[in-house]
């Protein structure tokens, strides 16, 4: 591949996406003078950016297997960095949630529940563990089998959490159903990619 094609990859990809997320989040918050409503807009924005980056990372291997082409090979090569960009997005999301809790404790208490603390806490525990083992040295220390179990379990848990988080808003705001489409598509892709390929029958000698 040419140098130009290789530019937007690896750590450079992670840096560009992370800095873009920070810049957009600051711009969104500034639209409301960094007050509570601006912080809540950042929470919504990063929830959606996290969804997009998660779907790109979680579907990379399946897409590369089902439809090998320049895009899917790029996506598969950069799955680690797309995943770490998802971590950066969700770190901003967490920071905005903390800011919301400090700026408007009553509004925060109304918008959250014990279940959101528990399941959200488990999700962030998986994110921390998966990001910490996304490097060659830490992955080697964990071992290939444990690494696979952690990242598969964490990936499916986060998929389920996204489905619940966006799905529970559909009755009040039907347009939120649009956010479920990429999640369902990613799961369909993964299940299709995991299915054994049918064996070709050899022609019988006449």
């Amino acid at each position: 591949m040419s140098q130009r094609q290789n530019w937007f990859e690896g750590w450079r990809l992670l840096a560009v996406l992370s800095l873009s997320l920070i810049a957009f989040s600051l711009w969104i918050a500034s639209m409301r003078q960094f007050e509570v409503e601006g912080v809540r807009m950042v929470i919504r924005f990063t929830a959606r950016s996290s969804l997009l980056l998660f779907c790109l990372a979680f579907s990379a291997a399946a897409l590369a297997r089902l439809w090998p082409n320049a895009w899917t090979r790029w996506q598969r090569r950069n799955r680690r960095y797309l995943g770490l960009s998802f971590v950066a997005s969700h770190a901003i999301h967490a920071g905005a949630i903390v800011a919301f809790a400090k700026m408007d404790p009553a509004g925060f208490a109304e918008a959250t529940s014990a279940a959101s603390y528990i399941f959200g806490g488990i999700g962030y525990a998986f994110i921390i563990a998966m990001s910490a083992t996304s490097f060659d040295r830490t992955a080697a220390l964990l071992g290939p089998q444990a690494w696979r179990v952690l990242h598969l379990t964490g990936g499916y848990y986060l998929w389920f959490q996204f489905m619940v988080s966006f799905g529970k808003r559909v009755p009040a705001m039907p347009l939120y159903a649009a956010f479920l489409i990429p999640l369902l598509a990613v799961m369909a892709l993964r299940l299709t990619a995991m299915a054994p390929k049918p064996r070709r029958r050899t022609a019988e000698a006449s």
Side-chain angles (χ1 to χ4, degrees):
M1 295 182 70
S2 69
Q3 187 175 357
R4 177 176 292 181
Q5 289 174 308
N6 282 328
W7 188 90
F8 199 51
E9 298 203 28
W11 294 108
R12 190 178 283 112
L13 170 65
L14 173 60
V16 170
L17 289 176
S18 299
L19 290 173
S20 298
L21 288 166
I22 292 170
F24 274 114
S25 296
L26 290 172
W27 175 66
I28 289 167
S30 72
M31 292 171 64
R32 295 293 185 272
Q33 291 74 47
F34 295 95
E35 294 180 354
V36 173
E37 185 53 36
V39 170
R40 297 193 72 168
M41 289 170 64
V42 172
I43 291 172
R44 291 191 288 271
F45 164 69
T46 50
R48 294 162 191 177
S49 61
S50 293
L51 171 67
L52 172 62
L53 291 165
F54 171 80
C55 287
L56 286 172
F58 202 49
S59 64
L63 280 170
R65 181 179 179 185
L66 293 170
W67 293 291
N69 56 51
W71 163 257
T72 58
R73 284 192 289 270
W74 176 90
Q75 188 180 350
R76 177 65 181 84
R77 283 196 311 275
N78 290 282
R79 180 175 62 171
R80 173 191 299 185
Y81 306 100
L82 291 168
L84 289 171
S85 298
F86 156 72
V87 173
S89 176
H90 235 50
I92 300 169
H93 184 72
I97 290 173
V98 171
F100 175 35
K102 290 186 175 181
M103 295 170 70
D104 185 9
F108 179 76
E110 185 179 351
T112 55
S113 63
S116 64
Y117 281 108
I118 295 169
F119 293 107
I122 294 171
Y124 270 103
F126 271 122
I127 290 171
I128 292 168
M130 292 165 71
S131 60
T133 55
S134 291
F135 306 93
D136 293 340
R137 184 171 295 181
T138 51
L141 287 172
L142 186 62
Q145 177 119 14
W147 184 93
R148 180 173 173 78
V149 169
L150 169 63
H151 283 253
L152 274 178
T153 305
Y156 283 111
Y157 180 87
L158 292 171
W159 178 89
F160 176 76
Q161 191 173 37
F162 273 120
M163 284 291 297
V164 172
S165 296
F166 284 96
K168 69 182 182 182
R169 290 172 171 79
V170 171
M173 291 175 281
L175 285 176
Y176 264 81
F179 294 108
L180 303 182
I181 295 172
L183 289 165
L184 294 171
V186 166
M187 184 58 68
L189 286 169
R190 289 184 65 91
L191 293 175
T192 303
M194 286 190 295
K197 292 183 178 180
R199 295 180 180 178
R200 293 181 179 179
R201 294 181 179 178
T202 56
E204 293 183 1
S206 56

